[in-house]
Amino acid sequence: MTGNTSTQRMPSYLEYQGKYTGIRAWILSTDHKRIALLYLYSQLFFFLAGLVMGLFMKLELIAPGRQIMGPATYNALFTVHGLTMIFLFIIPGLAASFGNFMIPIMIGAKDVAFPKLNLFSWYLFVFGAVIVLLGIFTGDGPPDTGWTFYAPYSLKTNTNVVLTVFGAFVLGFSSILTGLNFIVTIHRMRAPGMGFFRMPLFIWSLYGTAWIQLLATPVVGITFLMVVADRVLHIGFFDPAQGGDPVLYQHLFWIYSHPAVYIMILPAMGAITEIITTFSHRTVFGYKAIAMSSLAIAFVGYLVWGHHMFTSGMSETARLVFSFLTFLVAIPSAIKVFNWTATMYKGSISLEPPFWWAMAFIFIFMIGGLTGLVLGSVSTDVHVHDTMFVVAHFHYIVFGGAGIAFFAALHYWYPKMFGKMYNKKVANRALLLLFIGFNVLYMPMFFLGFMGMPRRYYDYLPQFANLNLLSTIGSWILATALIIIIVNLLRAKKGTPEEMDDPWGGRTLEWKIQSPPSLENFEEIPVIDHEPYELIEK
Amino acid sequence: MEQNHVAHTDHFDPVASKLGMWLFIFTEILLFGGLFIVYSVYRFKHPVEFHLAAEELNVTIGLINTIILLISSMTVAMSITALQLGNKKLTMILLAVTLVLALVFLVNKYFEWGAKIHHDIYPGSEFLMSLSKGDMLFFGLYFFMTGLHAIHIIVGMVLLAVVFVKVRNGSVNQGRVSLLENGGLYWHLVDLIWIFLFPLFYLIH
Amino acid sequence: MFSGNTSLSGGVDTAFAVIIGISLFFLIGITAVIIYFIIKYNKKKNPVASEIEGSNKLEIIWTVIPLILVLFMFWIGWHSYIPERQVPADAMKIKVTAQMWSWHFEYENGKVEDTLYVPVNRPVVLNMVSLDVIHSLYIPAFRLKEDVVPGKTENYMWFKPMVRGSFDLFCAEYCGLRHSYMGTTVEVVDQATFDKWYASGPAKIDSTVAAVPGAAGKLIVEQKGCIACHSSDGTKIVGPSYKGIFGHKTTVETNGKDREVMVDEVYLKKSILEPNADVVKGFPKGSMPDYKTQLTDEQVGQIIEYIKTLGGAAEK
Amino acid sequence: MSEHKNHISSYKSQVIVLLSLIVLTVLTVTITSVHLGPFNTAAAMLIASVKATIVLLYFMHLKFDEKIYRFMVALVLAIYVVVIIITFFDNLYRP
Ligand code: HEA
Ligand code: HEA
Ligand code: CUA
Ligand SMILES: [Cu+2]
C-alpha cells in the first residue's frame, strides 16, 4: 500500500493553480473533484429552490379554501417543485457530486476516463436547467401538468410545456453521458490489483446506477421528443383525437421513470453502506450480497414500471405481471437492510454525526419502502393511488431516503472534500430536529391518503383539515432544522492535517490520501493487495 | 495498465474510447427502441390501416436506399482495414465514397418526402387529418422515425468528415485508428436502424 | 373506518391490514435490533470489533423468508382485486361521462344527473368515458378508483353498496385548473326511494318552470358542465361569466388579430359550437371544449335564452 | 481487460458480407410481395434480425473483439425485448 500521508503534502485541488484563475479555474477545469463541487453547488441551489416551493405549497394547504395563491399558481408550483427536485436535484443526486468526487479516488485513479466529457455533462446539465427555467419565466407561464406530463392534458394545456420538456430532454443527455463516463472509468481505470470484487460498495452501486442511466434515459428522451412533436407538428402520437393512446404515453414515461427512482436510491444505498461500515470499524457483512443486490435492483427495476398504472385501464394480465414483479424488486432492498444491520453486529460503533444520519436513513427508508409494498399490491393501490399516500411514500423514500443520504454523505466526506470539520454537537441536534420535523410533515399524509384525499389537490374537504394543519407545522420544523444544518456546514473550521486526513478511521482508499486531496489524488498509483474493507495495520 | 505521472495530459486509451462508443450506441438503440415500441403497439391496433397506408410508400426508393446504406457500411469497414494496413490514400478515398453515398441517400429521402408533402401528406396537414386514425399514426411515425434517422445520418456524416480531415493531416493514422473505428461503429448503427425501418415501413403488404 | 361499505371493500381492508401488519413487524423488529446493537456494540463497551465477513446461511434465510412474505402479500392483494373486475350479469348499468371538471351519470332510461344515485344491495356497473383529458373516478369509501381515459371505452368499475349514506366521489387524476373541485357524491338509498327517484324520468322541466324564460337553458348549462367554467354572477372562473354579456361589445381574437364584436345570438352560437374561432381577450385559447357533437340547435337556443336573462342589453 | 489484439478484416471478407446482405435484402422484398398473411411480418423481421446480426458481428467487429462486448450487446437487446414483451402484456390482453 503506497499512500502519501506521511510524505510531503501537495497543494490541494482547491489551491492548485492551473492555467486559469478565478471563476474560470472552476468552470473550465476538467478535474473530477472540481466538477463534483460544481455539481454539488448547483444541486444544492436547486434543492433549496424546490424546498421553498414545497414550503409555499404546504402553506397553501394549511386550511381548506384559498390561503395565499390561486389554483393556477398551486398547479404550477407542484409541477415545478417536482421537476426541480427530480431532474435537477435527485437524479444527478449522489452520483454526479459524490460519485464524481469519489470514483477515481476509491478505485485508485487520477481522474475519470473522459475528463472533458465530464465537464461537458455539467454544461449540459446547466444548459438543461436554464431551458427549464426559461420555460417557467417566459411564454405562457410555467407548465401545470405535474412532473409526469401525462398526455393528453400536456398536449392541451396552454402553458409552456414544450420548453420544459425539451429542457428535461437535455438533462437526460447529461445524465446519460455521466453514466457512460462512470462505466468506462470503472472498467478501465481501476488501480492494479483492484479486481471488480475489491471495489468499495459505493462504486458497485454507482456501476448499477450508471447502467440504468444509460439504458433507461433514452426512452424518456424520445418520449419527450414525441410530446414536443405532438404539440408543435400535431402528429398525434398520444392524442386520442388522432388515434394516439394516452396509456402508451404512461408506459413510455414509466419505463424510464421507475428505473429512475433506482437511479436516485442506489448511490444513496452505496453511501450508507460505506458509512455504516466505517463507523462500525469492521469489515462489511455480506460484501457479495450487497454488490449483487445493486445489480439485481438495477435490472429487475426495469420491469416493474406498470405499478404506476394499476388504475389506468391496463389489461388485467398486465396488472398481474407488474404487481408480481414489483414485489420481487423489494427483495434486494431487503437484503441490503439486513446486511447493514448485520454489519453493526459485534462492531465497535462510534457515534459520530454521519452515523446518526445513516440511522435516520435506514428508519425512514424502511417506512418509505414498506409503504411501497402497500402500493405494489393491486387492490390496495387502487384505493391509495394518486392520493396523499403516494405523496407520503415518495417523500419518505426520495427525500427521506435519497435526500437524507445526500446529507449523510456530505457530513461523511466533508472533511475529505474541504479539509474542514463542522460542529458535531450542533450537527447531531439539528438532525434530531430534522427527524422530528420530517415525520410530523409526512406521516399525516399517509393517513390523509388512506382517508381518500387525492394528490395535486389545491383545495380539500373539511374532514382533511386537521391532519393538513399538522403537516404544515411539520414543514416549519423541518425548515428550521435544514437551515441550522446548512449554516453549521458553512461554519465548519479548518482542522489539522492529522485530524482531517482520516477523521473517522475509514478503510477505503480515500482515507489513505491527504485532505483535501491533491490535484492528482495519488502521487503514485497504489497497488491493491487486500480486500476492500480489510483492516490494514498502519 | 500504464499510467503516466502527469494526469490530465491526454492519456490515450483506445479500449476506453471504444467501450464508450459502444455504450453510446446502446443509448441510441434504446432511443429508437422507444419508437419501435410505439410503432409496434399502433400497428397491432390498426393492422389494416397500416397495411393500406404502407402501399403509398415507394418500395423501389426504399430498396435503393437500403442498398446504398449497405454499401456505405462496407466502404467504412474497408477504410478501417485500409488504414490498419497503412494505406492512407485508400482510406481517404473510401471515406469520401461513404460520404457521397450518404449524400445520395439524403437526396433520395428528400425526393421521397417531397413527393409525400406534395400529395398533402405531412404531419398536421388537412388531408392527413381527414384520413383514418391508423393512417395518421402511420404517417406520423413514418415522418418522425425516418426524420430522426436522417438526422443521425447527418450527424454520422459530420463525424466521418472530421475523421476524414484527421486522416488527411495524420492525427488519425495506422498507429491510432481509434477515432476512425468509432466513427465506423456509429455509421454501422445508422445502417442497423435502417435495416429495421425498411421492412417495417415499406414492406407491409 | 368505513369498512364494509360495499360487498368487496372488506377484502381490500383485510389486504391493507395484512400488508401493513407485516411491514410494522419488520419496521419495529429491525429498529429494535439496531438500537440494541448501537447500545451493545458501542465503542466504549466494545472497543475491538470482530471482523465477520458474512454468512451464506443468513443470506439465504433473509432472502427466502421475505420472498415468501412478499409472495403472500402479492397473493392477497391480487385475490381481493380479481372480483373487482368481474361484473355480475345483473348489474345496473350507468354511463359516466367525465369532462373538465364535472361528472355526468346517465341512467338507462335517459335520466342524467351530476350526483350518483344508486340503490343499496344492488350491483351497479359504471361504464366511463371522457370527453377531454384523463380523469379518474374515485370513491374512497368503496376503495375503488379507475381512470377515465379519452378515446377508450373499456374503463369500467362495479360495486354493490351495502350501507346507505352519502359518500364522497373525487376526481383523482390531475386534469387541470379545477381538478380539486371536480367532486360530487354517491347517494346510496334504499330501493324504494331509488325507484321513486328513477321513475321521475329524464330530467324534464315541468310546465310551470318551463314558462320562466331561460329555465331550460339553465338546466342544460348545469348538466353539460358549463358551470364548471362559467358563472352566472359575474365571477370569472375559467371562462368569462355569462352575467351581463349579452348585447355588449367584447374584444375577441380571431386568427391572431384582435377585433370588437357584438355579443348577439349569432356570436353566442358560434362561441359555443366553435369556441376556438373567436377567443375572448384575456382567456386562453383551447380551454373550452367544442360542443358541436353534444348540443342540438334547440339546446343551444335555450342556452342563449338563458344567457339573455342574465342581464346585459336590457339593463342599460 | 487485456489489450485487444488487432484483427484486420480482409477486403474480400467485407465484400462477401455486403453481398450476403444485399441478397438478404432482395429476399425480403420478394418474400413480402407474395401473400403469406401474418408470416410476412415474421419473415421480414427474421431476415432483418439476421442482417443485423451480420452487421454486428462482421462490420461492427463483435466477432473479433473481446467477449465482453458481445455480452453487453446481448444483455441490452435482451432487456429491450423483455420490455417489449411486457408492454404487450397490456395491449394484447385489453378487452
Ligand atoms: C428513491 C425513489 C424510490 C424508491 C427507491 C422507491 C421504491 C419502491 N416503490 Fe416507489 N415511488 C417513488 C419513488 C421511489 N420508490 C416515486 C417518486 C413515486 C411517485 C411517482 C409519481 O406518481 O409522481 C413512487 C410511486 C410508487 C408506486 C405507484 C403508486 C401509485 O401511483 O399508485 C408504487 C407501486 O407499486 C411504488 C412501489 C415501490 C416499491 C415496491 C419500492 C421498493 O423498491 C421498496 C423496497 C424497500 C423495502 C421493501 C424496505 C426495506 C426492507 C425491509 C425493511 C425488510 C423487510 C422487507 C420485506 C419483508 C419485503 N412506488
Ligand atoms: C427530492 C425530492 C423532494 C423533496 C426534497 C421534497 C420536499 C418537499 N415537498 Fe415535495 N414533491 C416531490 C419531490 C420532493 N419534495 C415530487 C417529485 C412531487 C410530485 C410533484 C407532482 O405531483 O408532479 C412532490 C409533491 C409535493 C406535494 C404534493 C402536491 C400535491 O399533490 O398536491 C407537496 C405538498 O405538500 C410537497 C411538499 C413538500 C415539502 C413541504 C417539502 C419539504 O421537504 C420542504 C421543506 C422546506 C424546507 C426544509 C425549506 C428549507 C428552507 C431553507 C433552507 C431556506 C433557505 C433558503 C435560501 C437560503 C434560498 N411536495
Ligand atoms: Cu378530473 Cu381531475
Ligand atoms: Cu415505480
Side-chain angles (χ1 to χ4, degrees), chain B:
Chain B
M1 190 192 304
E2 42 91 59
Q3 280 274 6
N4 30 12
H5 281 254
V6 198
H8 302 210
T9 55
D10 254 335
H11 160 76
F12 186 71
D13 178 0
V15 182
S17 45
K18 183 155 162 195
L19 182 60
M21 192 66 211
W22 268 108
L23 295 177
F24 189 71
I25 285 177
F26 295 157
T27 70
E28 292 277 14
I29 291 178
L30 276 135
L31 193 82
F32 276 92
L35 282 169
F36 281 115
I37 293 179
V38 176
Y39 173 91
S40 47
V41 167
Y42 288 153
R43 175 151 172 205
F44 175 76
K45 286 193 169 170
H46 307 277
V48 182
E49 287 95 330
F50 266 50
H51 185 127
L52 292 177
E55 311 262 274
E56 294 286 314
L57 299 184
N58 188 330
V59 183
T60 321
I61 294 193
L63 181 63
I64 293 173
N65 261 351
T66 310
I67 291 176
I68 289 176
L69 267 195
L70 289 175
I71 297 175
S72 75
S73 247
M74 181 193 69
T75 50
V76 163
M78 281 180 164
S79 76
I80 298 172
T81 309
L83 196 61
Q84 280 166 337
L85 297 175
N87 191 340
K88 180 170 160 186
K89 195 156 162 231
L90 186 59
T91 310
M92 283 163 62
I93 294 176
L94 285 167
L95 275 177
V97 172
T98 312
L99 286 172
V100 170
L101 286 172
L103 204 63
V104 176
F105 179 93
L106 285 181
V107 170
N108 257 342
K109 194 92 251 164
Y110 171 79
F111 283 117
E112 199 189 353
W113 273 35
K116 289 280 152 320
I117 294 172
H118 187 73
H119 286 106
D120 253 352
I121 301 182
Y122 55 89
S125 77
E126 247 167 71
F127 174 67
L128 195 54
M129 292 292 187
S130 69
L131 297 178
S132 77
K133 290 178 172 168
D135 286 310
M136 280 191 260
L137 290 172
F138 179 86
F139 285 109
L141 280 165
Y142 164 78
F143 279 106
F144 197 79
M145 291 178 84
T146 55
L148 195 66
H149 181 257
I151 291 177
H152 277 77
I153 297 249
I154 294 171
V155 172
M157 284 171 75
V158 172
L159 194 64
L160 289 183
V162 170
V163 176
F164 181 86
V165 173
K166 293 212 166 183
V167 172
R168 199 174 56 180
N169 71 23
S171 56
V172 169
N173 53 43
Q174 186 172 13
R176 216 173 154 156
V177 283
S178 184
L179 192 65
L180 176 59
E181 273 182 340
N182 290 338
L185 277 179
Y186 190 82
W187 194 253
H188 296 310
L189 167 81
V190 174
D191 188 18
L192 214 54
I193 291 164
W194 186 259
I195 287 181
F196 285 93
L197 286 181
F198 174 58
L200 287 179
F201 281 104
Y202 295 81
L203 297 182
I204 14 183
H205 295 300

Side-chain angles (χ1 to χ4, degrees), chain A residues 425-495:
Chain A
K425 244 195 203 127
V426 176
N428 280 336
R429 290 195 189 140
L431 171 63
L432 184 65
L433 194 63
L434 179 109
F435 187 76
I436 294 169
F438 188 91
N439 285 296
V440 176
L441 167 56
Y442 295 117
M443 193 61 84
M445 291 191 189
F446 283 123
F447 296 95
L448 282 170
F450 190 75
M451 286 163 64
M453 178 178 164
R455 68 192 278 204
R456 296 170 176 172
Y457 258 33
Y458 160 73
D459 199 355
Y460 50 86
L461 297 178
Q463 69 256 36
F464 304 128
N466 290 339
L467 285 170
N468 267 307
L469 176 65
L470 183 65
S471 162
T472 303
I473 295 174
S475 76
W476 299 334
I477 305 179
L478 181 58
T480 319
L482 260 178
I483 293 175
I484 301 177
I485 288 166
I486 290 173
V487 170
N488 187 37
L489 285 175
L490 289 178
R491 292 179 48 181
K493 295 209 173 53
K494 269 217 161 58

